[in-house]
């Protein structure tokens, strides 16, 4: 079975400060990891993914994420937050060894960036 | 290049009625996925389809729910005899079908309210 934990329901950060949204995962095989962002009453927008290779993955809108195998984590980061980054962020995983395409999502973290 | 299209965006049904949700994948995509999001929760996988084939329906409730992706036309998620617990946002995603590591791109969702 695969699972994702996003331990923080909400993260508050001041505009211009760095932000981190945490994600830990559990899979039996090789993890394929994804971050998506959801704005109110909208669908999910893809930010970035880790399949293999460099542990630091760069994505859209200045976001990046670091894959840490020993800690089974895939935290989302941005050096300088914008008010427009305020949204709901979801981490997702699938097991690259099984061939199953179903993504397992975390419960989401609401990011609030204050001006 | 249009993204994943879903309609209707909002659907209101009374208990016992049928709900039909439509999803048109991105141009060139042949794989479709349906997910359900209950209020304040992450997305839960329901079903994965390719043209005219259901590949993985492990997340679909055994009764009242069905999905299809015909050779021509959109994918349809059908819920018969809806109950209040079916109220949720239903998201469709699509992917090209060209590789095992591909990204799923999500539509704006259909918000179903059962009265």
């Amino acid at each position: 079975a695969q699972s994702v934990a996003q331990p923080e329901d909400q993260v508050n950060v001041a505009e211009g400060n760095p932000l981190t949204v945490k994600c830990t995962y559990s899979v039996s095989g090789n993890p394929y990891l994804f971050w998506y962002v959801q704005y109110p009453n909208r669908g999910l927008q893809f930010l970035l993914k880790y399949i293999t290779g460099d542990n630091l993955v760069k994505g859209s809108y200045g976001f990046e994420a670091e894959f840490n195998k020993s800690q089974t984590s895939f935290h989302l980061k941005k050096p300088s937050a914008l008010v427009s980054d305020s949204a709901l962020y979801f981490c997702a995983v699938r097991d690259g060894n099984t061939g199953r395409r179903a993504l397992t999502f975390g419960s989401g973290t609401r990011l609030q960036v204050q001006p | 290049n249009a993204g994943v299209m879903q309609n209707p965006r909002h659907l209101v049904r009374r208990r016992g009625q049928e709900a039909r949700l439509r999803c048109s994948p991105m141009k060139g995509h042949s794989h479709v996925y349906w997910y359900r999001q209950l209020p304040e929760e992450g997305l839960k996988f329901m079903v994965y389809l390719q043209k005219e084939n259901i590949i993985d329906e492990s997340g679909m409730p055994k009764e009242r729910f069905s999905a299809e992706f015909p050779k021509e036309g959109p994918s349809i998620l059908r819920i018969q005899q809806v109950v209040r617990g079916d109220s949720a946002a239903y998201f469709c995603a699509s992917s090209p079908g060209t590789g095992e590591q591909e990204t799923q791109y999500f539509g704006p969702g259909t918000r179903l309210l059962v009265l």
Side-chain angles (χ1 to χ4, degrees):
Chain A
Q2 55 198 39
S3 65
V4 173
Q6 292 183 243
E8 301 154 317
D9 289 337
Q10 181 154 326
V11 169
N12 296 309
V13 64
E15 188 175 28
N17 282 2
L19 69 88
T20 298
V21 183
K22 295 179 181 177
C23 170
T24 59
Y25 65 89
S26 174
V27 291
S28 302
N30 287 330
Y32 289 179
L33 292 153
F34 303 81
W35 275 102
Y36 288 86
V37 59
Q38 185 179 32
Y39 295 98
N41 296 316
R42 302 275 295 276
L44 274 68
Q45 295 180 29
F46 169 71
L47 283 178
L48 51 79
K49 69 180 179 183
Y50 171 83
I51 303 296
T52 187
D54 287 343
N55 289 343
L56 186 63
V57 178
K58 294 189 183 297
S60 306
Y61 313 120
F63 284 94
E64 58 189 29
E66 186 166 12
F67 170 65
N68 187 317
K69 188 175 182 177
S70 62
Q71 297 186 4
T72 62
S73 67
F74 189 55
H75 300 332
L76 181 70
K77 301 181 181 185
K78 186 173 182 180
S80 178
L82 300 172
V83 172
S84 58
D85 292 330
S86 298
L88 190 55
Y89 289 80
F90 289 100
C91 180
V93 69
R94 54 175 281 238
D95 188 334
N97 285 14
T98 64
R100 285 195 70 230
R101 300 290 186 100
L103 294 174
T104 296
F105 283 84
S107 55
T109 298
R110 190 167 300 281
L111 173 66
Q112 197 71 36
V113 180
Q114 284 115 11
Chain B
N1 184 17
V4 177
M5 309 280 282
Q6 290 187 250
N7 68 81
R9 294 291 304 275
H10 299 274
L11 183 61
V12 179
R13 287 286 179 265
R14 297 192 180 279
R15 282 178 296 168
Q17 291 184 320
E18 178 180 286
R20 280 183 180 244
L21 287 61
R22 294 175 188 77
C23 169
S24 296
M26 287 177 70
K27 187 176 180 182
H29 286 195
S30 60
H31 293 202
V32 164
Y33 315 80
W34 286 93
Y35 292 82
R36 177 165 63 176
Q37 183 180 35
L38 294 171
E40 303 303 318
E41 292 189 13
L43 280 72
K44 299 285 194 292
F45 169 77
M46 298 180 75
V47 62
Y48 161 39
L49 311 102
Q50 298 174 17
K51 287 281 187 182
E52 300 184 281
N53 282 305
I54 297 175
I55 307 303
D56 180 356
E57 57 181 346
S58 58
M60 284 279 270
K62 294 290 186 281
E63 296 178 352
R64 302 187 297 108
F65 285 73
S66 62
E68 63 176 8
F69 189 17
K71 187 177 180 180
E72 301 290 339
S75 175
I76 306 286
L77 179 67
R78 182 183 178 204
I79 312 172
Q80 294 179 291
Q81 299 174 343
V82 297
V83 301
R84 289 219 173 106
D86 296 332
S87 295
Y90 293 81
F91 290 97
C92 168
S94 72
S95 66
T98 55
E100 215 270 327
Q101 299 172 355
E102 56 194 28
T103 299
Q104 296 175 25
Y105 294 92
F106 284 80
T110 293
R111 280 152 184 84
L112 172 65
L113 176 61
V114 179
L115 301 177

